[in-house]
Amino acid sequence: MTQNQPGSGPTALRILLGSQLRKLREARNVTREEAGHLIRGSESKISRMELGRVGFKERDVADLLTLYGVIDQQARAAVLDLVATANEPGWWHRFNDVLPTWFQAYVGLEEAAIRIRTYEVQFVPGLLQTKEYARAVVTAGGAGIGAEEIARRVDLRLERQRILDRPDGPVFWAVIDEAALRRPIGGVEVMRAQIEHLIDLMRQERITIQVMPFSYGGHSAEGGAFSILRFPDRDLPDVVYVEQLASALYLDKREDADRYSEVMERLCAVSTTPDETIDLLRAIAYEF
């Protein structure tokens, strides 16, 4: 899963199921061509399945599990139970008209995650934005789009935020560069309200916010923003999401996830503590 996200907009479970099938295949040293032949398909079909670009047929997955040596009935049932669910569209599909195909997968992964760690450089993370701040960000980045589409994009962002209010919602840990907090997006009033909103959010047990201060200078994440998502099933890999201007990378190889996790750990170590974050946010709000 190291390529730009495909245009079909796969659900999170489809991506994770495909990733798990790839790991099982590689563990048995089975080629894509061999797997494709077994299910009356081709090497490219296996590639599309493993990337989550197509739906899954239960018969195909059952045959692949046999080929990959998964004979334990409980283990097989756990995978096969995912097949029907993975083919179901998520709530975000009703926003397909304004949701970039390369971002659809992230929304699904976000829904399935139990922990999201993110580093942001330019903006407050989307899950933490106020409606007014989100509108300002969308408007600035969407030159030429109409008011209706702007409103739809803002509604999508606010809908995504509902996961933080769910009883089973994810732990959300954000490190925000101080520059993002001092850039008056939407104007002084919008920015002041956004910072006050961050202070309020920090009262929630599952939300942690740290700030990478100007005073630290250079740091280990000079490459830019990224997110790391973890899922309930320990057999599923962490997924690193790196957004680009008009596409995104989804990285699920262990070495990639470990590298980004190490960077995140270093960022957390040199950023403000939660108490220091509140003090800094109050100081910035006062300056606006």
Side-chain angles (χ1 to χ4, degrees):
M1 209 179 342
T2 60
Q3 302 299 316
N4 292 348
Q5 190 51 41
S8 56
T11 66
L13 285 177
R14 197 185 303 172
I15 292 172
L16 295 174
L17 181 54
S19 176
Q20 186 66 5
L21 288 174
R22 175 179 59 78
K23 289 180 180 295
L24 290 170
R25 177 182 60 76
E26 291 176 345
R28 298 287 289 192
N29 293 317
V30 176
T31 67
R32 290 193 180 95
E33 184 178 4
E34 291 169 336
H37 178 73
L38 178 75
I39 62 171
R40 302 149 298 279
S42 63
E43 179 181 354
S44 63
K45 179 177 180 179
I46 295 297
S47 178
R48 291 194 299 272
M49 289 176 66
E50 292 179 352
L51 290 169
R53 296 183 178 182
V54 294
F56 294 89
K57 294 180 180 179
E58 183 174 343
R59 176 185 173 185
D60 289 345
V61 175
D63 288 346
L64 289 173
L65 290 177
T66 300
L67 178 65
Y68 300 159
V70 181
I71 58 176
D72 179 80
Q73 291 304 309
Q74 188 173 3
R76 291 175 66 90
V79 175
L80 292 172
D81 285 346
L82 287 176
V83 174
T85 307
N87 290 327
E88 296 176 358
W91 61 261
W92 52 95
H93 283 258
R94 70 176 187 269
F95 289 96
N96 276 352
D97 56 320
V98 296
L99 187 59
T101 53
W102 48 266
F103 190 63
Q104 289 179 19
Y106 181 78
V107 179
L109 292 169
E110 195 175 63
E111 284 282 317
I114 60 170
R115 189 182 76 180
I116 302 171
R117 304 176 78 186
T118 188
Y119 170 62
E120 278 289 350
V121 183
Q122 291 186 301
F123 305 109
V124 170
L127 293 184
L128 307 182
Q129 293 177 6
T130 65
K131 183 175 183 178
E132 293 74 19
Y133 182 93
R135 182 181 293 111
V137 171
V138 171
T139 301
I145 66 175
E148 183 177 351
E149 182 172 344
I150 290 174
R152 289 273 291 159
R153 292 188 184 186
V154 172
D155 287 345
L156 168 62
R157 191 159 302 182
L158 297 180
E159 189 73 21
R160 286 172 51 211
Q161 295 176 3
R162 293 167 65 90
I163 64 169
L164 298 180
D165 296 324
R166 289 187 337 218
D168 63 341
V171 170
F172 188 81
W173 195 308
V175 177
I176 308 173
D177 195 280
E178 185 175 345
L181 300 171
R182 293 191 177 277
R183 184 174 294 110
I185 292 176
V188 171
E189 294 301 321
V190 168
M191 199 64 215
R192 184 183 295 119
Q194 174 63 71
I195 292 174
E196 290 172 353
H197 181 59
L198 293 178
I199 294 173
D200 290 339
L201 287 172
M202 290 190 67
R203 297 190 177 98
Q204 297 187 28
E205 183 177 353
R206 295 198 306 265
I207 296 178
T208 300
I209 301 172
Q210 295 181 264
V211 178
M212 168 55 67
F214 285 148
S215 59
Y216 187 74
H219 53 78
S220 58
E222 297 290 352
F226 63 90
S227 296
I228 309 170
L229 300 94
R230 176 162 293 177
F231 307 95
D233 189 336
R234 291 186 178 181
D235 291 332
L236 296 176
D238 287 357
V239 174
V240 178
Y241 173 78
V242 183
E243 188 168 312
Q244 300 170 333
L245 183 61
S247 62
L249 296 177
Y250 294 78
L251 311 173
D252 70 342
K253 290 185 177 180
R254 180 65 179 269
E255 56 266 32
D256 291 327
D258 286 349
R259 182 178 180 184
Y260 276 90
S261 293
E262 290 171 5
V263 170
M264 179 61 78
E265 292 294 341
R266 290 198 292 270
L267 284 171
C268 292
V270 299
S271 295
T272 59
T273 65
D275 286 343
E276 291 170 342
T277 297
I278 292 177
D279 291 341
L280 179 57
L281 289 175
R282 285 173 175 163
I284 294 173
Y286 180 78
E287 294 172 11
F288 276 116

